[in-house]
Amino acid sequence: MKYLKCLLETLEKQEELHHKDIYNYVIPSSWNTYGYKSAHVLKSKEIIVNPYSFYNYTLHSMFEKNEDQSKKLEDKNEKWLKNTSIYAMNIRAHSAWDHDRDEHVSQDNLYHMHDNGTFLKSMILLPFLKRMGINTILLSSVAKLGKTSRHHKYPVKEAVYDFQSVDENLADSLVDMNAKEQCAAFVEACHYMGMRVIFEYCPGKLARENVYIKKHPEWFYWIQKDYHAPECSALPNNVIPHTYTLKDFYQSEDVKSHIAQFRKYPKTDSFSTLKEIEDAYDITVAPFIVDQINANIPCDDDTTLFRLYEKPSSHIPKHISTEIPYMSEDTIRNDLHPGKLPIQELWDMLCENIIWMKDNFHIDGIFLQKPYLLSEKLQKQICKAAKRNHKDFVMIVEENTIENCSLWIEKGFDAISGSSGYESSDIWNRSFQTFAYRLKQNPCPVFAAGEYTDARRICCMDGGKKLSILLHVMSHFLPNAIPFMLNGAECMETQPLQLSEYGDSKYLYTVSKDDPRYLKQAYLDSYAFDYRNSDLNALASILEPAEKLRQKYVWNCTPEHCIPVWFSSPKDEALGFTYIKDDSALMVVANTNIHNVISLQIHTENLFTELPFSLNDVHQILSTEDPYVHDVSFDTFRNIPLEFQPGEVKFLLFQGKIEKN
């Protein structure tokens, strides 16, 4: 814990130097979790504080009042992933606030301090996340990002300048420690609080302006500057470049013209920037193009791809010259069409990046993004390198197709992301029920999410707040699922974080024009989540007791002890599971109709055939709508009739006695 200790000591010294200084520095009142008293309360649900004094007081209080749980995490528990609840955090956005009230979230405000989020500020919000049952932080955009040519302030989070770096903008100026040291301190703080840390890693894609082009120009594709994504009129829109499409693809004159634009890599060691190389040779690093044919999406001027092979794959027709390797939709899909002769030095570097993260930050796992950019051989190589000497180190992969779980297990991965973040919020078409009931027999854990980074937010949809509570609560009680929460979900955010090119642009208009966040996205623009939202505690107040029940009844529950709840009809707007443990069983049932009160008949015949005890009583012990405990009665058919409020989740506890033989 040396970095955390150093940070606390440095902050304490700074507080001594600045404790008499006067600041007009504001924070949301909700950040004052430990009762800092030397604050001036504002009507705007903010308080004015001395930043040195406030952060010093809060962090010391935080670590004094919470037991050091880092030792418990050191136990080699290879199954910890099944008990995790993940919160996806982008530090820059997570703890951002307009501290000097100039209506801008800047990296250098009136006091030469950071309005954007920092590792230091995000530390003080960990207790709130822990209250919601979060025990794993998924960190994105930690590395330094390359320059952007977009209309946004920041490039996409995959536009990494150097994989073995930390963005200096995330280092707080309140302490004299660099970004790498503050990042290590943040990870140590998470471990102290009993929370694990996973880093996002996208090894196939990076910024066009990056640290590698100068030393290794042969690792990239080079093209004339007047490029565009090629089209093929013989094929429909949005076609995955499977082998059977390539014959038509290569007949396209536009594709032939595109390939002819590529050039041999230049000598770059005497240049400092990509622009200097462009001016000297009239060529550039090829921009990233979407992996689908005829996607009608422009090239991404922020990012490029690594050229993983010396030569393209053997599927290329003979009339196409292969003397100069090129990038097109087919060569992007290295998982479908791996090339020939791997560039081994590049492959080794991509594996070593994870070793560097493990050695420098002692992280607990990796979330591998966009694996389709990598060949299967490289996917396995990265996974093997990550797990070497650390069997409890987890590898999660971004994979939408749940049917591919077995394939990823064979490659050494532990879990997939799945597609629930795009589909489960469509409760009217029973997508959530379909997703939930198929999980029990799934060969590996899958994210249970209502929203993903590149999609719309739950709270901008029909039912908003109720839908968010329903999905987040139930995600903790689905078999073989990993509860997954996005940055800002606790604030009931409606604006997307980084809307995909395939996303509907209407979701960018969820806040009013007079809101400074209008048309902005948290992962691309200067942005602060609404920590003054009156519903800020809505999720936490129900997830706190719900997570305790999850830890008691769901953790270590074997598949045969997880029983789906039966209702009168498959068309009932409901979902539920029962978890059996010793002489008790927890039933969790949700009304998936977020607008109407419904009455349900909960059938118990399948449950009673599985109970290993004789039943004494049943109580409703928790509800998202009702904080009181109630007796539960059976009808003459031994079914349970219950009325549910819109979107309500009820927790029923069956208690009995195990009869000895």
Side-chain angles (χ1 to χ4, degrees):
M1 307 293 282
K2 65 176 182 179
Y3 291 105
L4 179 58
K5 182 179 179 182
C6 180
L7 183 143
L8 293 173
E9 290 175 348
T10 303
L11 187 58
E12 189 171 2
K13 292 178 182 178
Q14 290 296 317
E15 195 272 337
E16 291 177 359
L17 291 173
H18 297 280
H19 76 281
K20 292 185 178 180
D21 295 350
I22 298 175
Y23 295 93
N24 186 23
Y25 181 99
V26 302
I27 60 169
S29 299
S30 57
W31 288 14
N32 189 19
T33 52
Y34 291 96
Y36 176 75
K37 296 180 180 178
S38 301
H40 179 67
V41 180
L42 303 176
K43 292 181 180 180
S44 59
K45 296 183 180 179
E46 295 172 302
I47 57 176
I48 300 176
V49 299
N50 177 313
Y52 295 96
S53 177
F54 172 76
Y55 293 119
N56 180 52
Y57 169 84
T58 300
L59 287 178
H60 277 86
S61 299
M62 173 176 152
F63 295 117
E64 287 171 3
K65 296 182 180 181
N66 287 278
E67 176 188 357
D68 184 357
Q69 300 184 54
S70 57
K71 295 293 183 183
K72 298 178 183 178
L73 299 181
E74 293 175 4
D75 296 336
K76 299 299 181 182
N77 183 358
E78 297 176 31
K79 297 182 180 180
W80 66 265
L81 187 61
K82 293 184 178 180
N83 190 39
T84 197
S85 179
I86 294 178
Y87 182 89
M89 179 188 295
N90 178 307
I91 292 287
R92 186 184 66 235
H94 177 64
S95 52
W97 199 255
D98 180 15
H99 297 298
D100 60 356
R101 293 187 285 180
D102 66 351
E103 298 184 353
H104 294 90
V105 178
S106 59
Q107 294 172 354
D108 185 24
N109 66 18
L110 174 66
Y111 304 107
H112 301 297
M113 298 175 185
H114 289 74
D115 283 344
N116 65 271
T118 65
F119 293 112
L120 172 66
K121 292 194 289 181
S122 290
M123 280 185 205
I124 69 168
L125 300 178
L126 291 178
F128 185 77
L129 299 181
K130 190 173 179 64
R131 181 187 167 200
M132 292 193 295
I134 301 298
N135 57 22
T136 302
I137 303 296
L138 172 59
L139 276 185
S140 67
S141 301
V142 170
K144 179 180 178 180
L145 300 180
K147 294 180 180 178
T148 177
S149 57
R150 289 171 170 254
H151 298 297
H152 303 284
K153 181 176 179 62
Y154 301 102
V156 294
K157 57 192 178 75
E158 299 89 3
V160 172
Y161 176 80
D162 178 5
F163 288 107
Q164 295 189 20
S165 69
V166 179
D167 185 357
E168 286 296 333
N169 292 318
L170 306 181
D172 206 299
S173 58
L174 272 68
V175 289
D176 187 18
M177 295 170 66
N178 63 36
K180 181 180 174 183
E181 293 168 335
Q182 292 194 36
C183 180
F186 177 82
V187 175
E188 288 179 358
C190 291
H191 287 166
Y192 188 99
M193 299 290 290
M195 305 166 82
R196 299 183 188 269
V197 179
I198 295 173
F199 276 9
E200 278 188 354
Y201 182 42
C202 185
K205 188 177 181 182
L206 72 165
R208 290 177 63 220
E209 182 76 67
N210 63 71
V211 74
Y212 307 102
I213 56 175
K214 182 177 179 181
K215 187 176 181 181
H216 292 286
E218 72 278 9
W219 288 0
F220 300 92
Y221 301 94
W222 295 85
I223 192 172
Q224 292 178 350
K225 290 196 292 185
D226 56 339
Y227 52 76
H228 70 278
E231 296 182 0
C232 176
S233 59
L235 294 170
N237 291 341
N238 299 318
V239 175
I240 298 295
H242 293 294
T243 303
Y244 61 83
T245 68
L246 297 182
K247 182 179 179 181
D248 289 331
F249 181 70
Y250 284 116
Q251 293 297 325
S252 167
E253 293 300 323
D254 197 37
V255 172
K256 293 176 184 178
S257 174
H258 168 75
I259 293 173
Q261 289 182 301
F262 283 86
R263 298 290 180 266
K264 184 177 175 62
Y265 62 85
K267 291 184 178 180
T268 58
D269 52 358
S270 61
F271 300 100
S272 299
T273 65
L274 177 60
K275 187 176 187 312
E276 292 178 3
I277 299 171
E278 291 173 343
D279 293 341
Y281 296 104
D282 200 33
I283 60 174
T284 188
V285 172
F288 180 81
I289 58 177
V290 71
D291 67 306
Q292 298 182 23
I293 299 171
N294 298 337
N296 295 320
I297 293 175
C299 298
D300 181 358
D301 290 331
D302 276 347
T303 60
T304 187
L305 292 177
F306 279 121
R307 182 169 72 89
L308 299 174
Y309 293 91
E310 296 284 358
K311 297 181 179 179
S313 64
S314 57
H315 62 67
I316 300 171
K318 293 182 180 180
H319 68 274
I320 299 292
S321 172
T322 59
E323 294 180 3
I324 300 174
Y326 64 93
M327 182 184 76
S328 190
E329 286 90 333
D330 58 326
T331 47
I332 287 173
R333 291 303 298 259
N334 279 292
D335 60 337
L336 299 177
H337 310 292
K340 299 177 181 179
L341 302 177
I343 301 178
Q344 195 57 52
E345 187 179 4
L346 170 57
W347 285 37
D348 291 342
M349 184 274 291
L350 296 178
C351 293
E352 289 165 1
N353 290 334
I354 297 181
I355 308 301
W356 180 84
M357 296 175 198
K358 289 166 61 178
D359 291 345
N360 285 275
F361 305 111
H362 304 289
I363 58 174
D364 304 285
I366 287 291
F367 178 49
L368 185 69
Q369 291 185 299
K370 295 181 171 46
Y372 62 83
L373 302 177
L374 314 175
S375 66
E376 182 177 346
K377 184 177 180 180
L378 182 52
Q379 292 167 1
K380 291 179 178 179
Q381 189 170 315
I382 287 174
C383 189
K384 184 177 180 181
K387 287 178 172 287
R388 189 177 296 127
N389 301 323
H390 293 87
K391 291 184 178 180
D392 59 331
F393 192 87
V394 302
M395 291 293 292
I396 306 173
V397 65
E398 184 182 23
E399 168 62 69
N400 291 341
T401 306
I402 199 170
E403 288 80 8
N404 290 339
C405 281
S406 296
L407 299 177
W408 289 106
I409 292 175
E410 291 174 4
K411 296 176 188 179
F413 289 82
D414 302 287
I416 72 167
S417 58
S419 59
S420 63
Y422 305 115
E423 301 168 357
S424 61
S425 58
D426 184 10
I427 56 173
W428 305 112
N429 290 312
R430 302 185 62 82
S431 294
F432 189 41
Q433 288 95 323
T434 302
F435 165 73
Y437 283 129
R438 70 184 300 186
L439 285 176
K440 183 178 177 181
Q441 304 302 326
N442 208 53
C444 74
V446 180
F447 285 174
E451 54 190 5
Y452 281 153
T453 302
D454 59 352
R456 79 290 169 274
R457 309 265 350 206
I458 304 174
C459 285
C460 76
M461 304 185 71
D462 184 24
K465 174 185 170 183
K466 282 189 178 294
L467 180 60
S468 178
I469 293 173
L470 166 65
L471 295 179
H472 281 109
V473 171
M474 283 305 297
S475 71
H476 287 67
F477 296 92
L478 304 182
N480 211 19
I482 300 172
F484 184 86
M485 182 182 294
L486 273 189
N487 236 166
E490 68 277 24
C491 302
M492 301 294 172
E493 286 287 325
T494 59
Q495 282 287 95
L497 298 175
Q498 181 181 312
L499 190 64
S500 164
E501 295 91 342
Y502 295 101
D504 192 331
S505 60
K506 71 180 182 181
Y507 295 121
L508 297 175
Y509 297 85
T510 65
V511 297
S512 61
K513 288 186 177 181
D514 58 353
D515 191 310
R517 301 173 302 170
Y518 179 67
L519 290 180
K520 291 185 178 181
Q521 302 172 69
Y523 286 8
L524 297 174
D525 303 295
S526 297
Y527 194 101
F529 295 127
D530 185 10
Y531 285 104
R532 295 179 291 184
N533 192 313
S534 58
D535 291 321
L536 181 63
N537 285 304
L539 270 175
S541 61
I542 184 61
L543 285 177
E544 185 174 17
E547 178 62 17
K548 293 178 181 177
L549 293 174
R550 177 178 180 242
Q551 294 299 317
K552 184 174 182 179
Y553 293 99
V554 180
W555 167 232
N556 270 339
C557 180
T558 56
E560 60 268 23
H561 290 150
C562 171
I563 314 298
V565 175
W566 287 3
F567 304 100
S568 297
S569 167
K571 295 183 180 180
D572 282 344
E573 297 172 300
L575 168 70
F577 291 94
T578 302
Y579 294 90
I580 302 172
K581 183 178 181 182
D582 301 328
D583 60 352
S584 58
L586 179 71
M587 177 183 286
V588 186
V589 183
N591 168 16
T592 58
N593 186 320
I594 54 174
H595 293 307
N596 300 314
V597 175
I598 67 171
S599 295
L600 291 174
Q601 284 283 342
I602 299 173
H603 289 241
T604 60
E605 53 264 38
N606 68 322
L607 175 61
F608 280 110
T609 60
E610 301 289 344
L611 289 180
F613 55 83
S614 57
L615 183 64
N616 289 339
D617 51 50
V618 183
H619 294 91
Q620 177 182 310
I621 59 172
L622 183 64
S623 163
T624 55
E625 296 288 337
D626 183 357
Y628 301 105
V629 175
H630 301 277
D631 291 334
V632 173
S633 302
F634 293 89
D635 63 13
T636 55
F637 298 100
R638 218 182 185 190
N639 297 326
I640 302 176
L642 284 176
E643 184 177 272
F644 285 73
Q645 295 300 309
E648 182 180 8
V649 182
K650 291 181 182 288
F651 296 78
L652 310 182
L653 184 62
F654 294 69
Q655 293 179 305
K657 181 178 181 181
I658 298 178
E659 297 180 356
K660 297 181 180 180
N661 293 331

